[in-house]
Amino acid sequence: MDATAIKKWLELFTVKVNEEKAYLSDLDGAIGDGDHGMNMARGTTEMQAAMEAKNPETPADIFKLAGMTLVSKVGGASGPLYGSAFIGMAKAAKDSDDLAEILKAGLDGIQKRGKAEIGEKTMVDTWAPVIASLENGDLTIEKVEEIVEATKPIIATKGRASYLGERSVGHLDPGAVSSGYLFKTMIEAGV
Ligand code: ADP
Ligand code: MG
Ligand code: MG
């Protein structure tokens, strides 16, 4: 894994999340409490500032700093979940150079923290199929978009959206959409 490409990835992700801040919060307004864009914009901006201040040099150190910053700076569910993902990825990046293996450790971190399975309308519904597609060798930006779109018909059974039950149907999951940005920018950065 190339540390420069990983830094570029996180920078592109931060830019994308900040551009789409209002959209992400609108999505969350429909099935949650309307703060996902704000949470992610704050978290990623703090993450970028930490990268510039500390300039970590190895993939493991970059992921670790990203994870620690997201856990500590984001109040909502998404901060600890993304944070656990990056911290899991940091541990995996010490032993492995394989992107799919590292992302699997990230998904594992999300699931240990949030206990969501596939099909509960959460960010897990982006992470799991993206990793499967990467392993299958057919991951593209279009594929990421299809995966995110597929969260629309799901009935939420985890997170705030689960309070709506069937009324969550027909809406994209905000965390699945922001995770879609994470994987699209990963592809764009050439990680
Ligand atoms: P909050 O719900 O605390 O306001 P956010 O709005 O920032 O936090 O994040 C909401 C997103 O977090 C959801 O769209 C969903 O993708 C994700 N999420 C919530 N709970 C879980 C969970 N238990 N496991 C995985 N992802 C979850
Ligand atoms: Mg919210
Ligand atoms: Mg909230």
Side-chain angles (χ1 to χ4, degrees):
M1 283 218 135
D2 173 27
T4 309
I6 295 170
K7 282 186 189 166
K8 183 80 201 164
W9 171 18
L10 298 182
E11 195 184 314
L12 291 175
F13 179 52
T14 301
V15 170
K16 183 68 179 168
V17 161
N18 278 274
E19 279 171 5
E20 304 295 344
K21 178 175 156 179
Y23 173 61
L24 289 172
S25 283
D26 284 350
L27 292 175
D28 195 31
I31 58 170
D33 59 354
D35 62 358
H36 189 60
M38 173 89 93
N39 289 341
M40 293 303 296
R42 185 194 303 128
T44 53
T45 301
E46 292 278 358
M47 172 181 82
Q48 248 347 91
M51 292 297 157
E52 275 154 39
K54 300 201 171 148
N55 200 24
E57 280 171 9
T58 65
D61 286 345
I62 296 168
F63 289 140
K64 188 172 172 200
L65 181 60
M68 303 295 273
T69 311
L70 292 171
V71 168
S72 65
K73 302 289 180 185
V74 181
S78 56
L81 290 162
Y82 272 100
S84 299
F86 279 111
I87 290 166
M89 287 160 65
K91 287 185 190 141
K94 284 189 180 156
D95 310 321
S96 172
D97 219 27
D98 182 69
L99 182 58
E101 284 309 311
I102 291 169
L103 294 179
K104 271 190 206 170
L107 172 59
D108 201 46
I110 293 171
Q111 291 189 289
K112 284 214 168 95
R113 184 91 192 197
K115 314 281 178 224
E117 299 295 334
I118 293 170
E120 296 201 279
K121 200 178 184 99
T122 71
M123 59 177 72
V124 169
D125 293 304
T126 297
W127 280 73
V130 160
I131 294 167
S133 171
L134 181 64
E135 287 185 305
N136 211 23
D138 61 7
L139 187 66
T140 58
I141 288 189
E142 295 69 40
K143 183 88 191 187
V144 175
E145 283 166 358
E146 276 170 33
I147 287 168
V148 169
E149 201 58 33
T151 62
K152 238 184 200 175
I154 303 176
I155 299 176
T157 53
K158 278 282 186 312
R160 277 177 202 281
S162 65
Y163 308 153
L164 291 182
E166 298 217 344
R167 282 184 293 137
S168 64
V169 170
H171 299 281
L172 292 168
D173 175 64
V177 173
S178 61
S179 295
Y181 298 155
L182 181 70
F183 296 118
K184 286 201 258 184
T185 54
M186 179 185 84
I187 296 168
E188 281 164 14
V191 173

